[in-house]
Amino acid sequence: MPYANLKVPAGTLTDASKKKLQDAVTDAFAEVYGERARPNTLVILEEVADGGWSFGGTILTAEILGRS
């Protein structure tokens, strides 16, 4: 079973954006493994609390990252 665990900053994606991302990951697995993988692909999207990210020593917040 293909499995993807995506971590995104909380509050930066709309429900529609989350679905679009999950569908795109499922499509990518199906493209590589064939359509037989689609019904067995597990995509988990975890939202990390605001301020729980840093990149290059900079704390990333929803305000900095915006919402899509």
Side-chain angles (χ1 to χ4, degrees):
M1 164 175 54
Y3 167 78
N5 185 346
L6 310 175
K7 296 180 187 291
V8 299
T12 59
L13 295 175
T14 64
D15 287 343
S17 294
K18 290 176 192 176
K19 173 136 178 43
K20 184 176 181 180
L21 183 57
Q22 290 167 321
D23 288 346
V25 171
T26 300
D27 290 345
F29 274 120
E31 184 177 322
V32 171
Y33 287 104
E35 283 300 316
R36 70 187 187 282
R38 186 176 300 280
N40 300 306
T41 297
L42 174 63
V43 180
I44 297 174
L45 198 147
E46 291 185 71
E47 292 190 279
V48 177
D50 197 40
W53 293 86
S54 71
F55 185 73
T58 300
I59 301 289
L60 301 177
T61 63
E63 181 180 352
I64 292 170
L65 297 170
R67 185 174 168 102
S68 62

